[in-house]
Amino acid sequence: MSGSGPDHVLVTGGAGYIGSHACKALKAAGFVPVTFDNLVTGWQEAVKFGPFVQGDLLDRAAVDAAFAAWKPVAVMHFAALSQVGESMSQPGKYWRNNVLGSLNLIEAACAAGCLDFVFSSTCATYGDQDNVVLDEGTAQHPINAYGASKRAIEDVLRDFGVSHGLRSVIFRYFNVAGGDPDAEVGEFHRPETHLIPLMLDAIDGRRGALTIFGTDYPTPDGTCIRDYVHVCDLVDAHVLGLRWLQANKGSRVFNLGTGTGFSVREVVAASRSVTNRDVPMVEGPRRAGDCTKLVSGSTRAAAELGWTPHRSDMATMIADAWRWHQSGHYSR
Ligand code: UDP
């Protein structure tokens, strides 16, 4: 506790998909989430659970001012560009925004003495490793600029741990899906690039047929396999990670996935049965930068944080996403 009131947590990207769900979870856990977001990909309407600071991580003075104004006890750093395909065509955008922005944030946090840091990393840092169990000790060989930018930030965090005593919990997300069951916040990107929201758009005619990116992968049905985790379960892990930092004063890396893989065709089939609607789709070529299979092979988050996913079965994730899709969205 800092001062007399509840602890503040600086949440970068709090106006985005995962960040907004994290703010809801933080508030429920008794923290005050202070959103810091440039609204490039986020939505002001998604900031519902605490104060909002509009600012850009590339603006160091704005970041310093946020630490001075709110005196957060910890940082949760979600703000990032996160599209694999775009990272392959515009790598400079990813290195500048993700890496330089994070460096500013990390330096500012250290300068402010705010040394508990929760970071959103990704399974894309592992790259395409056939027949390798992906646990936290697996060597990281990203094959796209998005994954490479996230791995670089992991390195920065480790270096600042040594030099400044920064303590970090690094979460390597697998594929995040679903939405708040109350539909107060949800997944809404413009443009949308992620499989499940695109599929729901195709189902209700908001866009044309879904294109399956590649049907010649060395998987049982030829499409890529991913490990999908519900956004509410994912942000619960962040609250546990924050408490772990406060209790342990160390640093740790955790995969966040369920350990179960679904092919693109399997996700399509599940959506068909949850929505009871046809999924218009066409088969297309592979998307540059896509790994064949990304499935977590670790139970560390369960063992060490006590993390138990409750909503990460595919039908629940799609049902929650579908409810949000039909009821809510943001606008500028
Ligand atoms: N995908 C697809 N069609 C789309 C969007 C995605 O077939 O329009 C596939 C993509 O190739 C990957 C999986 O769905 O195998 C999940 O992609 P998404 O962009 O949702 O997440 P990523 O795995 O890139 O983080």
Side-chain angles (χ1 to χ4, degrees):
M1 191 76 72
S2 65
S4 52
D7 285 342
H8 289 61
V9 176
L10 189 67
V11 182
T12 74
Y17 168 42
I18 301 170
S20 60
H21 287 79
C23 287
K24 182 167 180 171
L26 281 166
K27 185 177 180 190
F31 295 96
V32 177
V34 179
T35 290
F36 185 96
D37 198 300
N38 61 11
L39 298 184
V40 168
T41 58
W43 307 91
Q44 190 158 354
E45 294 154 86
V47 184
K48 299 181 169 180
F49 310 104
F52 174 52
V53 178
Q54 185 168 354
D56 197 305
L57 293 177
L58 292 171
D59 177 355
R60 173 66 194 269
V63 181
D64 284 336
F67 279 102
W70 295 99
K71 302 188 175 29
V73 297
V75 176
M76 281 195 189
H77 178 29
F78 297 95
L81 298 171
S82 62
Q83 296 173 23
V84 167
E86 182 187 58
S87 82
M88 296 301 281
S89 57
Q90 301 183 61
K93 199 171 156 181
Y94 279 68
W95 283 95
R96 184 173 304 102
N97 184 81
N98 290 0
V99 180
L100 297 184
S102 297
L103 184 56
N104 269 341
L105 176 66
I106 291 164
E107 287 186 326
C110 290
C114 178
L115 297 177
D116 287 337
F117 200 103
V118 181
F119 175 57
S120 310
S121 189
T122 168
C123 62
T125 60
Y126 293 123
D128 223 355
Q129 308 200 36
D130 227 11
N131 298 319
V132 171
V133 174
L134 300 179
D135 64 24
E136 294 83 355
T138 304
Q140 295 167 288
H141 302 293
I143 63 164
N144 53 59
Y146 166 60
S149 72
K150 289 284 187 172
R151 187 188 59 178
I153 300 160
E154 290 192 12
D155 289 343
V156 174
L157 287 170
R158 275 185 276 270
D159 287 347
F160 277 75
V162 174
S163 64
H164 289 76
L166 185 69
R167 301 174 288 264
S168 57
V169 160
I170 293 172
F171 285 122
R172 295 188 186 139
Y173 303 169
F174 285 69
N175 283 57
V176 189
D180 174 24
D182 307 326
E184 285 192 273
V185 286
E187 181 168 19
F188 193 70
H189 299 105
R190 280 292 173 266
E192 188 53 74
T193 65
H194 291 109
L195 177 63
I196 292 175
L198 283 175
M199 197 167 41
L200 299 181
D201 275 351
I203 287 174
D204 74 0
R206 289 188 207 182
R207 71 176 75 228
L210 174 81
T211 302
I212 296 193
F213 292 147
T215 54
D216 60 346
Y217 284 96
T219 60
D221 68 18
T223 64
C224 291
I225 293 174
R226 296 286 182 274
D227 176 342
Y228 294 84
V229 55
H230 196 292
V231 64
C232 293
D233 290 334
L234 184 100
V235 299
D236 282 352
H238 285 64
V239 175
L240 293 170
L242 174 54
R243 296 208 190 286
W244 184 95
L245 276 173
Q246 294 180 324
N248 289 274
K249 305 287 175 207
S251 293
R252 201 77 170 130
V253 179
F254 298 96
N255 279 359
L256 290 181
T258 65
T260 303
F262 286 84
S263 72
V264 176
R265 288 193 204 280
E266 287 172 333
V267 177
V268 169
S271 303
R272 198 179 288 128
S273 76
V274 168
T275 63
N276 217 8
R277 306 262 286 268
D278 188 33
V279 184
M281 62 177 185
V282 294
E283 296 183 0
R286 293 182 178 198
R287 180 175 67 178
D290 269 346
C291 298
T292 303
K293 180 178 177 184
L294 289 167
V295 176
S296 178
S298 166
T299 54
R300 182 185 286 182
E304 298 184 17
L305 298 179
W307 181 56
T308 315
H310 297 291
R311 301 188 74 81
S312 292
D313 63 283
M314 184 54 72
T316 302
M317 286 188 284
I318 293 173
D320 286 349
W322 183 233
R323 190 178 314 109
W324 161 255
H325 190 85
Q326 292 179 300
S327 68
H329 54 78
Y330 309 124
S331 55
R332 289 194 211 280

